[in-house]
Amino acid sequence: MTDSHRILIVDDDQNMTKTLVKILHTRGHQAEAAHTGEQALALARDNRFDCVLSDIKMPGMNGVELFSAFQEYHPDIPIILMTAYAPSDLLTASVAKGVVAVLNKPIDFDLLFMYLEAVK
């Protein structure tokens, strides 16, 4: 049985966040959605999350900038980034700075759940 995690999903695509929340709930996880990096940071101020799953390409604060903000305020929270397209230098910089993984969209859920298992 998978340990339950409280996961913050950050994506400007509201359909994507709804889908991810439902899928994570079916696997026993608690999940909340934010649609901007700023909204994610506000939720993290008032709530404790075990992991953040964030899109990279978003208007305003992108996923890499969000990761940097979490490193400053919540360095113990693992971040998994996801992308349909992002420049390779952005991906390389993210992994070098400590992102757990960068997943391609559409999401390979077996791979996502494997990373969530590793995040304890």
Side-chain angles (χ1 to χ4, degrees):
M1 177 74 186
T2 301
D3 289 334
S4 177
H5 292 303
R6 185 155 188 214
I7 302 165
L8 176 59
I9 302 164
V10 189
D11 198 318
D12 58 314
D13 180 343
Q14 293 186 15
N15 289 327
M16 179 64 138
T17 58
K18 285 179 189 176
T19 299
L20 286 169
V21 165
K22 285 180 185 177
I23 290 170
L24 290 167
H25 282 174
T26 64
R27 293 292 291 256
H29 299 289
Q30 296 176 30
E32 287 188 51
H35 302 292
T36 67
E38 295 82 5
Q39 185 182 23
L41 290 173
L43 280 170
R45 274 193 294 272
D46 298 329
N47 300 281
R48 174 70 184 144
F49 294 98
D50 300 309
C51 183
V52 175
L53 177 61
S54 177
D55 190 19
I56 292 177
K57 296 284 256 180
M58 297 183 291
M61 180 184 293
N62 69 38
V64 175
E65 294 166 334
L66 179 63
F67 168 72
S68 294
F70 266 88
Q71 285 296 99
E72 186 174 335
Y73 298 106
H74 304 287
D76 58 324
I77 300 176
I79 310 286
I80 298 172
L81 296 177
M82 47 186 183
T83 185
Y85 169 80
S88 62
D89 59 332
L90 198 57
L91 300 178
T92 303
S94 301
V95 173
K97 291 181 180 180
V99 167
V100 171
V102 178
L103 302 176
N104 290 318
K105 289 181 178 178
I107 299 297
D108 176 337
F109 287 101
D110 289 333
L111 190 57
L112 172 60
F113 294 129
M114 181 190 77
Y115 283 117
L116 289 176
E117 273 293 312
V119 175
K120 301 238 180 200

